[in-house]
Amino acid sequence: MTIAYFTIPIYLLTAIASLILRYPTTKLSFLYATPMLLSLFIPPCYSRTALALLRPIVNYFDFEAIYMDETNVRNQMNEGKNYIFAAQPHGVLSYAGFCAAVSKPDDPGRVPTAVASVLLNVPLLKNLMGIFNLAYFNLVDASASNMKRILKEGGNIKIYIGGIAELFKCCRTEERLYLKKRKGFIKLALRAGVDIIPIYCFGNTSVLSVLTHGPLAALSRKLQASLTLFWGKWYLPIPRDEKLLYVVGKPLGLPHIVEPTQEDIDKWHKVYCDQVRDIFEMYKEKVPLYKHKKLFID
């Protein structure tokens, strides 16, 4: 999956350029672009075989999951309480999120993950995401209107708060979350009367390194999808086999405020930031690369 995610953006750019320039010939340019053109008309579809091949990643990464308040949250969900699961950081791909889903394939408490609409619509990328969509991950459009609809209908949703802006801040030596200006999810939760549960994905930003400059990096920021160049083991697009830790925190206890003031939003945003920092400091010792890392909230 990582290699496909690495090569698809490059292929799409070169295929579009080939079509525009008719290089080397018109016939060959259309032949080269055939996979992209076919993908425009082929809907995403679920593949059980691909999912079976994905299961070994749990052992590859020495994955561990910690649920700080699982029993209470499950009981609340069974009684109709709904939540926004706010995760950070994302990294190039959320391998901790993948492992959490794969390790519990029959988990009835699994919730849809909001992703940039580009991943659900761009040729080939939509087909790659579709392989996993209908089973483990249930990917949905991260637009504000769609998330409001899901919550209004009594659903739960998982959001990666920092987005692509965060991807270009983190590295193997320090952890930086793009969070100070991300308050929309707090306002959304207060208005909808849903609670927020923080999730920290240790290792997401260290298993792959990213190119932070250049045209692909700029395109990633514009499209809100990680389409930049990245590398890992042996400087190849292969994630490093390092420990991943997925920590699901406790509900923040948000009230229902139909028209929250900026003061209300700031107050609960600070509560969220404090919880995230507490989770980081509490569990970073369990991940070797994180023992001496500091967390910065930008």
Side-chain angles (χ1 to χ4, degrees):
M1 180 178 179
T2 310
I3 294 175
Y5 201 79
F6 178 86
T7 57
I8 286 174
I10 298 173
Y11 164 73
L12 291 176
L13 288 175
T14 56
I16 293 170
S18 179
L19 286 174
I20 293 173
L21 300 174
R22 298 291 195 269
Y23 179 83
T25 66
T26 299
K27 183 177 181 180
L28 287 176
S29 67
F30 273 93
L31 183 63
Y32 178 65
T34 295
M36 178 184 72
L37 297 173
L38 288 176
S39 178
L40 292 172
F41 303 99
I42 299 176
C45 60
Y46 159 62
S47 171
R48 185 175 297 276
T49 301
L51 289 173
L53 294 174
L54 192 63
R55 292 188 186 112
I57 69 171
V58 173
N59 294 324
Y60 177 82
F61 287 117
D62 184 23
F63 172 75
E64 181 183 358
I66 296 174
Y67 298 86
M68 297 175 66
D69 198 21
E70 183 175 21
T71 301
N72 176 55
V73 170
R74 287 186 181 279
N75 289 339
Q76 291 292 320
M77 290 175 69
N78 290 336
E79 294 172 5
K81 177 69 175 176
N82 52 333
Y83 296 95
I84 292 176
F85 291 82
Q88 286 189 273
H90 186 283
V92 176
L93 291 169
S94 181
Y95 284 105
F98 290 161
C99 289
V102 172
S103 65
K104 289 189 173 186
D106 302 315
D107 185 2
R110 200 165 53 248
V111 301
T113 299
V115 299
S117 58
V118 64
L119 294 179
L120 304 177
N121 295 291
V122 166
L124 298 179
L125 276 177
K126 69 174 185 179
N127 301 103
L128 177 64
M129 294 297 106
I131 290 173
F132 312 105
N133 195 11
L134 299 181
Y136 291 145
F137 306 117
N138 190 16
L139 307 178
V140 297
D141 187 353
S143 66
S145 59
N146 189 52
M147 290 192 289
K148 286 178 184 177
R149 179 188 59 79
I150 292 172
L151 295 174
K152 186 176 181 180
E153 293 174 355
N156 303 284
I157 195 165
K158 179 179 174 182
I159 309 171
Y160 282 89
I161 304 302
I164 293 307
E166 189 173 78
L167 171 65
F168 297 101
K169 287 179 172 290
C170 292
C171 64
R172 288 176 62 78
T173 57
E174 64 180 24
E175 196 88 335
R176 289 188 174 274
L177 303 185
Y178 185 63
L179 186 51
K180 284 184 178 179
K181 296 180 180 180
R182 294 293 173 109
K183 300 182 181 182
F185 72 106
I186 299 290
K187 185 176 182 179
L188 176 64
L190 290 171
R191 280 183 166 178
V194 304
D195 211 344
I196 292 176
I197 297 178
I199 298 176
Y200 206 96
C201 302
F202 291 88
N204 266 1
T205 58
S206 60
V207 293
L208 288 170
S209 302
V210 300
L211 182 68
T212 58
H213 303 287
L216 282 177
L219 181 64
S220 295
R221 292 186 178 96
K222 185 174 181 60
L223 296 179
Q224 290 298 293
S226 50
L227 308 180
T228 188
L229 296 177
F230 54 85
W231 62 92
K233 202 171 184 178
W234 307 310
Y235 293 95
L236 296 173
I238 300 172
R240 304 176 182 96
D241 52 344
E242 298 172 349
K243 183 177 180 63
L244 294 179
L245 176 62
Y246 185 82
V247 181
V248 181
K250 299 179 180 180
L252 301 185
L254 270 71
H256 183 194
I257 305 176
V258 178
E259 292 297 334
T261 64
Q262 190 60 50
E263 185 179 356
D264 295 325
I265 295 169
D266 291 343
K267 171 188 173 181
W268 288 102
H269 182 264
K270 183 180 183 304
V271 172
Y272 173 78
C273 292
D274 290 345
Q275 285 259 19
V276 168
R277 191 178 292 280
D278 288 346
I279 291 173
F280 182 86
E281 295 299 334
M282 188 180 302
Y283 293 104
K284 70 177 186 179
E285 294 287 333
K286 295 178 71 68
V287 184
L289 191 64
Y290 279 71
K291 286 183 177 180
H292 304 293
K293 267 192 177 184
K294 290 184 178 181
L295 177 65
F296 299 90
I297 295 181
D298 296 337

